[in-house]
Amino acid sequence: MDPFEDTLGRLREAFRSGRTRPAEFRAAQLRGLARFLQDNKKLLQEALAQDLRKSASESEVSEISTSQSEIDLALRNLRAWMKDEKVSKKLAVQLSSAFIRKEPFGLVLIIAPWNYPVNLTLVPLVGALAAGNCVVLKPSEISKNTEKVLVEVLPRYLDQSCFAVVLGGPEETGQLLEHKFDYIFFTGSPRVGKIVMAAAAKHLTPVTLELGGKNPCYVDDNCDPQTVANRVAMFRYFNAGQTCVAPDYVLCSPEMQARLVPALQSAITRFYGEDPRSSPDLGRVINEKHFQRLQGLLRCGRVAIGGQSEESERYIAPTVLVDVQETEPVMQEEIFGPILPIVNVRSLDEAIDFINRREKPLALYAFSKSSQVVKQVLARTSSGGYCGNDGFMHLILHSLPFGGVGGSGMGNYHGKFSFDTFSHHRACLLCPSGMEKIYSIRYPPYSPRNLRI
Ligand code: NAD
């Protein structure tokens, strides 16, 4: 017995009926999504606090208002985005109408991770609904309190003939992926990204893969260490370090490290107090498995700051590691926790070489008072996104595409990029039915005249 057959059949039929195509229908779904956020803000904040001990401020900034602003933007621009895009023509089709039509793919699957379990389900959903698709949403089973709200409450705000939330972990998601979808949007680890892409390949289904990895953070000698420390600490320890775009490790000279470590200590104390465990602003590791994994990483290099942990509440103190070797586990896997290793390099060239030897990251950061240095790192490396002299602020702009490259993923979204991702760009040419005299110059028998068309 296939648990998904009926649901998927219902959604496919709804798509074929054409119900999701009109702008009014799409706008109604987006307004429903906005109402879901407004009516259930407290419920969502409670769920996020239970799953990740996320503070109300972090939930507001990184989950709820981010999703809301994507909805607002889509509602404001829906009709403009849906408009056919006129394109330039050649002499041979001068009398025809040439345009790109953005049409929905059909039945779309969105698979989400647990670290921003509202944002990373709803923001892709905005794009999929705005583009006129039917959607199956598969939230993460690991952020189980948020998953419960998404499955029990969200469907009430959307047209249930066109939208469904399904539950499950690896086994159920594997079963789901055996079905044919018209598009799959996956956010998660590179390991599972490969499973998703292999399953999609069986049906030639296009995919967007929003993956993770290790995001380098180069700190030049020409920097104010305290400014850098404030910014790196904020973005490393936000959501207890469980952010795909968090600075994963610092590359700097031993001289800069000697100035940066006390500055990081000062920033951590100002942000989270003398005892970060009692700070309401520091999140917790999602589960026991990740807590144990992070315990292993704490044994790499030497602890310069933090290092304390408390298993009963999955607490790990904001930690800085020094004397870290490239071959140690903390430099081999994505950290995804409140641990920041510092690796020493002797020059900018060595830092760039270090970065380029590894998988292309999702985000790359460079700090320097010299704009030349910031621009050099940009010019000589590759990454999904890049931010000079700050943490992951490039995410907040709807005008920038968000996505990875190489090992950090493929495709992108946010703002209009989401709408485009979830739309097939159909090439259209509408020719006059008459004017045969003019058109007949193309036909055989050929002469030099044909070749000029
Ligand atoms: P994950 O890959 O373990 O799980 C993601 C989703 O895939 C979940 O819904 C899960 O149920 C499903 N899944 C897990 N194993 C599966 C399998 N064998 N077959 C089919 N489906 C399976 O990722 P996670 O632990 O939830 O999230 C952390 C990872 O996600 C990190 O690598 C992080 O960098 C990445 N991430 C990327 C972004 C981005 O926007 N690029 C955002 C957040 C997280």
Side-chain angles (χ1 to χ4, degrees), residues 110-116 120 138-143 147 168-175 177 185-193 195-196 209-215 242-245 286 289-290 334 336 362 395 402-404 408-409 413-414:
I110 295 173
I111 303 176
W114 50 261
N115 59 330
Y116 291 89
L120 297 173
K138 211 300 287 175
S140 172
E141 75 288 6
I142 291 176
S143 40
E147 181 199 42
E171 195 185 327
E172 294 80 4
T173 313
Q175 245 182 316
L177 283 166
F185 187 101
F186 170 79
T187 308
S189 61
R191 181 186 68 79
V192 179
I195 296 173
V196 170
L209 300 178
E210 296 282 342
L211 311 178
K214 291 184 81 65
N215 306 310
Q242 300 163 115
T243 305
C244 57
V245 280
I286 182 79
K289 187 174 147 215
H290 281 281
E334 179 180 10
F336 229 54
L362 184 59
L395 299 199
F402 175 62
S408 55
Y413 71 130
H414 284 191

Side-chain angles (χ1 to χ4, degrees), residues 133-432:
N133 295 286
C134 286
V135 183
V136 175
L137 196 63
K138 211 300 287 175
S140 172
E141 75 288 6
I142 291 176
S143 40
K144 50 184 183 302
N145 294 288
T146 311
E147 181 199 42
K148 190 164 186 278
V149 180
L150 291 172
V151 72
E152 287 179 3
V153 187
L154 176 60
R156 288 186 224 147
Y157 290 81
L158 298 170
D159 184 322
Q160 293 194 36
S161 65
C162 307
F163 170 80
V165 183
V166 300
L167 301 181
E171 195 185 327
E172 294 80 4
T173 313
Q175 245 182 316
L176 184 62
L177 283 166
E178 283 170 22
H179 291 270
K180 182 172 167 32
F181 291 90
D182 298 299
Y183 201 92
I184 298 177
F185 187 101
F186 170 79
T187 308
S189 61
R191 181 186 68 79
V192 179
K194 288 176 192 166
I195 296 173
V196 170
M197 195 166 172
K202 291 203 177 127
H203 300 288
L204 290 179
T205 298
V207 292
T208 291
L209 300 178
E210 296 282 342
L211 311 178
K214 291 184 81 65
N215 306 310
C217 177
Y218 173 66
V219 181
D220 188 30
D221 280 347
N222 182 11
C223 269
D224 171 37
Q226 194 57 63
T227 305
V228 177
N230 295 343
R231 295 178 192 183
V232 171
M234 147 136 202
F235 290 100
R236 168 73 278 188
Y237 303 120
F238 196 89
N239 199 26
Q242 300 163 115
T243 305
C244 57
V245 280
D248 186 272
Y249 61 93
V250 164
L251 291 172
C252 69
S253 68
E255 295 75 31
M256 175 45 77
Q257 177 181 306
R259 300 164 71 201
L260 198 57
V261 169
L264 282 164
Q265 177 68 75
S266 155
I268 291 167
T269 309
R270 264 181 292 117
F271 295 172
Y272 306 112
E274 292 293 343
D275 174 23
R277 191 175 157 195
S278 58
S279 164
D281 296 323
L282 187 69
R284 292 296 184 264
V285 175
I286 182 79
N287 61 18
E288 179 65 21
K289 187 174 147 215
H290 281 281
F291 179 83
Q292 293 305 340
R293 180 183 63 77
L294 291 165
Q295 287 299 306
L297 300 187
L298 283 174
R299 290 191 279 274
C300 301
R302 179 171 61 81
V303 172
I305 300 172
Q308 305 83 356
S309 56
E310 174 50 55
E311 189 172 350
S312 64
E313 48 179 275
R314 301 185 313 280
Y315 163 75
I316 295 182
T319 295
V320 175
L321 302 175
V322 293
D323 301 340
V324 174
Q325 301 304 312
E326 193 181 347
T327 49
E328 291 187 272
V330 78
M331 287 307 297
Q332 297 298 316
E333 63 182 80
E334 179 180 10
I335 297 172
F336 229 54
I339 303 172
L340 179 70
I342 301 180
V343 175
N344 288 145
V345 285
R346 283 181 302 272
S347 64
L348 174 61
D349 284 348
E350 194 181 320
I352 288 174
D353 187 50
F354 188 99
I355 294 165
N356 288 340
R357 277 204 305 272
R358 299 167 151 257
E359 284 288 0
K360 290 180 183 176
L362 184 59
L364 204 161
Y365 305 99
F367 286 82
S368 178
K369 282 185 182 168
S370 157
S371 63
Q372 287 307 316
V373 169
V374 172
K375 285 180 183 161
Q376 237 195 96
V377 179
L378 172 62
R380 294 172 57 194
T381 58
S382 177
S383 61
Y386 184 78
C387 186
N389 287 312
D390 210 351
F392 44 84
M393 290 303 285
H394 56 294
L395 299 199
I396 70 165
L397 293 181
H398 296 134
S399 48
L400 286 176
F402 175 62
V405 59
S408 55
M410 60 187 71
N412 55 58
Y413 71 130
H414 284 191
K416 181 170 186 290
F417 300 101
S418 299
F419 178 85
D420 285 340
T421 283
F422 285 104
S423 302
H424 167 54
H425 292 208
R426 190 175 188 181
C428 302
L429 186 71
L430 306 187
C431 304

Side-chain angles (χ1 to χ4, degrees), residues 101-113:
R101 162 117 353 142
K102 314 281 174 58
E103 62 177 28
F105 278 105
L107 179 56
V108 163
L109 171 62
I110 295 173
I111 303 176

